[in-house]
Amino acid sequence: MTSAALVDIPAGRFVMGSDQHYPEEAPERHVDVPAFQMDASAISNAAFAAFIADTGYVTSCERPYDAGDQSALPDVACIPGSLVFQMTRQPVRLTDPRQWWTFVPGAYWRCPEGPGSSIEAREDHPVVHVSCDDALAYATWAGKALPTEAQWEYAAAQSSPCDPKLNIWRDAFPYRHHRVNGHPFTVPAGAGQPSGRGLSNMLGNVWEWTATPYQASHAKGGCCATPETDAPSAQTVMTLKGGSYLCADNYCRRYRPSARIGLAQNETAGHIGFRCVTRAA
């Protein structure tokens, strides 16, 4: 079995949430968190490939979707595929994520930009195009679990949004990027300087699934998530944390521990991954 190194996270109390940023982060409240262990980095393509090889598991975006469950996706999304980010050629209205998200038939974790693409030379990058269901399946196989939102935010509390090594969008989103002209926008899961707790890329790079349902009382995630509609969904909406390579100061400043978005548990996109936790040894 291939797995990330585990980092001990001691028990403690912290202030969860924020009253100073996006409305869905409020209210601030004190939360006690028992000790646990967390993967030092997001699950990599190599680790996920080992899971697939051992189990034969088929991910959410490799199966035809139920259009009623995938309310945020166009009708074409009833066929296997996933949402892929594409840079625009010029400035666009930042209120419509459909300007830069495209549903690509055949896109999945092994072909992240669709047919013809691959994870070759990206084995150490975080796996993407995985749903919460996929992440839970991996965690069960690995003898671990997904972190709760409280565990994730507590573990990330020593990660600084001011770290210049964060993999976020540092130019004019979504048409000009400081580092690349196209894919891949991710960096290796363990890249950059680990936080004070020894965890890499808790902020930026990829959004990470948690085991906590997203409360309907909070505002919608929007931002660099995926296109939204008001159509009902049969799927539970789950909480993601940490921001991604699409977070930009001119668009989405969600590369902070308290930031959060919600997506249906079977939705996938090219900037979503996960890491696991286990009980303290």
Side-chain angles (χ1 to χ4, degrees):
M1 180 185 302
T2 302
S3 60
L6 286 167
V7 173
D8 292 321
I9 309 296
R13 166 173 280 206
F14 79 113
V15 177
M16 184 173 177
S18 172
D19 294 333
Q20 310 299 318
H21 297 99
Y22 293 103
E24 70 270 13
E25 299 174 42
E28 293 182 0
R29 65 273 192 200
H30 286 91
V31 175
D32 293 306
V33 180
F36 63 98
Q37 294 179 312
M38 176 175 265
D39 287 334
S41 61
I43 300 304
S44 68
N45 283 313
F48 199 75
F51 158 63
I52 298 297
D54 190 53
T55 64
Y57 180 84
V58 178
T59 61
S60 293
C61 63
E62 294 176 81
R63 307 175 221 142
Y65 290 121
D66 181 326
D69 289 347
Q70 288 293 92
S71 61
L73 299 180
D75 290 342
V76 69
C78 292
I79 64 177
S82 188
L83 288 168
V84 175
F85 170 78
Q86 296 180 347
M87 291 178 68
T88 62
R89 295 185 177 183
Q90 64 267 336
V92 295
R93 289 183 300 110
L94 298 182
T95 56
D96 184 5
R98 291 173 297 182
Q99 301 275 352
W100 51 86
W101 281 116
T102 300
F103 182 84
V104 178
Y108 74 115
W109 71 274
R110 201 184 293 275
C111 298
E113 289 79 60
S117 65
S118 78
I119 56 171
E120 184 178 355
R122 286 191 246 178
E123 290 84 358
D124 57 351
H125 284 228
V127 64
V128 293
H129 297 298
V130 285
S131 68
C132 189
D133 292 337
D134 300 334
L136 287 167
Y138 174 95
T140 299
W141 170 79
K144 300 178 183 179
L146 291 186
T148 65
E149 182 178 5
Q151 285 177 320
W152 194 101
E153 189 168 329
Y154 174 61
Q158 294 184 15
S159 299
S160 172
C162 298
D163 185 348
K165 294 185 179 179
L166 293 185
N167 184 29
I168 58 175
W169 197 283
R170 298 187 183 275
D171 213 318
F173 181 87
Y175 67 97
R176 191 172 64 228
H177 194 280
H178 70 291
R179 183 170 56 82
V180 294
N181 292 320
H183 293 280
F185 294 97
T186 55
V187 297
Q193 182 66 35
S195 70
R197 295 195 190 280
L199 303 167
S200 296
N201 284 319
M202 290 292 280
L203 306 180
N205 213 22
V206 293
W207 284 100
E208 298 183 8
W209 288 108
T210 73
T212 301
Y214 191 80
Q215 296 299 317
S217 60
H218 292 289
K220 285 186 176 181
C223 84
C224 59
T226 57
E228 295 182 341
T229 73
D230 292 325
S233 172
Q235 294 292 318
T236 301
V237 176
M238 305 300 289
T239 304
L240 295 103
K241 302 285 284 182
S244 78
Y245 59 79
L246 298 182
C247 284
D249 286 342
N250 72 316
Y251 173 52
C252 168
R253 298 183 181 181
R254 284 181 168 86
Y255 51 98
R256 292 172 290 99
S258 62
R260 60 202 302 273
I261 59 172
L263 287 177
Q265 68 187 53
N266 66 342
E267 284 196 33
T268 63
H271 68 333
I272 294 174
F274 69 100
R275 74 181 73 204
C276 299
V277 296
T278 188
R279 293 183 180 180

